[in-house]
Amino acid sequence: MTEPIIIMGAGIGGLTAALALLRQGVPVRIFEQARAIGDVGAGISLGATASRGLYSLGLEDTLRAASDAPLASEARHFRTGALLAHGFADRPGKAPERHLTNQIHRADLFALLLAAVQAHDADALRLHHRFASATQDASGVTVHFAEGGCVRGAALIGCDGIKSRVREQMFGAKEPRFAGRLVYRFLVPIEAARPFLSNPGTVSYVAPDRSLLRYAVRHGRLINCVAFVRSDQPTRESWTERVDADELMAIFDGWHPDVRGLAAAAPREGTAKWPLFDRDPLPVWIDRRIALLGDAAHPMLPFLGLGAAMAIEDAVVLGRVFAEGGTPEDVLSRYARARAPRAAEMLLASREQAEIYAEGPDTKRRLATTHAERMRYDPATVAL
């Protein structure tokens, strides 16, 4: 294939897709609307499926070096701190899934993905290019940019997020669904957090209609905290809306002292909130030489911790189907057939898990599909 695959979006999905294709000898060009890729977001936990996928792309050593492995995984009562459930707590160092879980700062993940892509092609990424439209014919796709100019490629992969312009052109404009929840994120330096870490490892404090998850990133130097709060109305759509101290502390009124201590130590400058959105499962991901990947295809709620993982799974499978060969239309059709059923299942399961969490610490409901079953999936070896 002489013409490159055009990738719109340089997020986790876009960069992983680029790396998967480059490792198969497929040329790519990545276009990102931002003017710079910076230190965005906070912590992210990559479970077994995501880690297997990234390891298959040659990133095991660099990912492990940049990540923290969980020492324990527990759910605790929001007020008393009593143990409700545990994951690795009773078998530290022995569970194989522990060694396939990587807790990492999102900016560090971006950095290692970008370095891996640029090691294959230093000129693969172009910043400040906003998608305007795409046209396709029997021999390729032409992408036009809002800033002017165009680029020609063999196929187009839309990795441009929940408000994907590529998806909009393919299937029409439709607003995503507000999930009735707000997310609050903050990072606490370990020196300030240490007095409030009575229990080591990953801990989720669970209350009716709200919860807080915390775990270490950057080799224990930061404690990543993320709270989910039910809300009838979304805030303005932003990843960077700042939160004042009174608002954050009010969320945790009456909670365990460890939670209130972490919230009180949250840096005001780096504490943000945003509303959660998703979309219904999309039955069709492709239009001849154009396909969707990651949140552009299946934005999902974070209650299974599989949002980034699903994009990584997509990307690894995409690289594998291109390696098998065929026309771009045939390749993308195989990719969509391989990925759409799992993505739809996980999207709906994430919604159900959100409702289970909202029932609080006394709920007896559990998902029919267990965590172990979900995490056996391996995008590098699954039948295509």
Side-chain angles (χ1 to χ4, degrees), residues 26-299:
V26 180
V28 302
R29 285 293 176 266
I30 315 161
F31 296 92
E32 165 61 41
Q33 68 176 357
R35 294 176 181 270
I37 296 180
D39 192 358
V40 296
I44 183 172
S45 184
L46 300 174
T49 71
S51 294
R52 289 189 193 102
L54 293 175
Y55 292 175
S56 76
L57 301 180
L59 295 176
E60 180 170 0
D61 291 343
T62 53
L63 183 58
R64 285 179 182 268
S67 302
D68 293 81
L71 300 177
S73 177
E74 303 175 346
R76 292 185 172 272
H77 192 282
F78 74 101
R79 182 177 293 117
T80 67
L83 182 67
L84 302 173
H86 52 70
F88 309 133
D90 61 341
R91 52 189 195 280
K94 298 179 181 179
E97 61 266 37
R98 175 181 179 269
H99 297 289
L100 285 168
T101 299
N102 289 281
Q103 294 171 338
I104 187 171
H105 196 293
R106 185 178 293 265
D108 297 339
L109 178 58
F110 274 113
L112 70 87
L113 285 169
L114 182 59
V117 168
Q118 292 181 328
H120 285 273
D121 183 350
D123 298 319
L125 176 62
R126 298 286 187 274
L127 300 175
H128 194 211
H129 281 73
R130 291 176 296 158
F131 177 86
S133 64
T135 56
Q136 58 181 315
D137 52 41
S139 60
V141 178
T142 301
V143 174
H144 301 266
F145 299 107
E147 296 79 10
C150 62
V151 65
R152 180 79 172 172
L156 167 63
I157 313 298
C159 306
D160 50 342
I162 189 170
K163 287 199 163 184
S164 168
R165 296 293 301 275
V166 177
R167 174 178 175 140
E168 181 178 320
Q169 176 175 310
M170 294 169 71
F171 304 116
K174 184 177 180 181
E175 288 299 309
R177 182 192 74 103
F178 175 53
R181 288 167 178 81
L182 305 178
V183 178
Y184 292 76
R185 282 190 181 272
F186 53 97
L187 290 159
V188 182
I190 187 60
E191 293 79 9
R194 191 174 282 115
F196 311 111
L197 304 178
S198 301
N199 304 104
T202 299
V203 180
S204 180
Y205 291 89
V206 183
D209 291 331
R210 60 189 61 190
S211 62
L212 178 127
L213 171 68
R214 57 94 166 146
Y215 55 84
V217 295
R218 288 187 171 165
H219 304 306
R221 296 194 300 274
L222 294 171
I223 301 301
N224 179 66
C225 301
V226 53
F228 303 98
V229 179
R230 188 183 287 277
S231 173
D232 293 332
Q233 297 293 328
T235 63
R236 66 186 179 89
E237 199 159 353
S238 169
W239 281 55
T240 57
E241 183 176 349
R242 298 305 177 197
V243 178
D244 63 36
D246 290 342
E247 179 179 355
L248 192 62
M249 293 304 294
I251 293 170
F252 303 116
D253 185 34
W255 283 49
H256 191 274
D258 280 0
V259 177
R260 291 187 60 78
L262 288 171
R268 297 286 77 81
E269 183 62 28
T271 300
K273 69 176 177 180
W274 63 88
L276 285 179
F277 291 85
D278 71 355
R279 294 184 186 272
D280 291 333
L282 188 63
V284 179
W285 290 18
I286 58 171
D287 175 12
R288 294 170 290 167
R289 290 173 177 256
I290 303 176
L292 301 174
L293 185 148
D295 282 353
H298 47 70

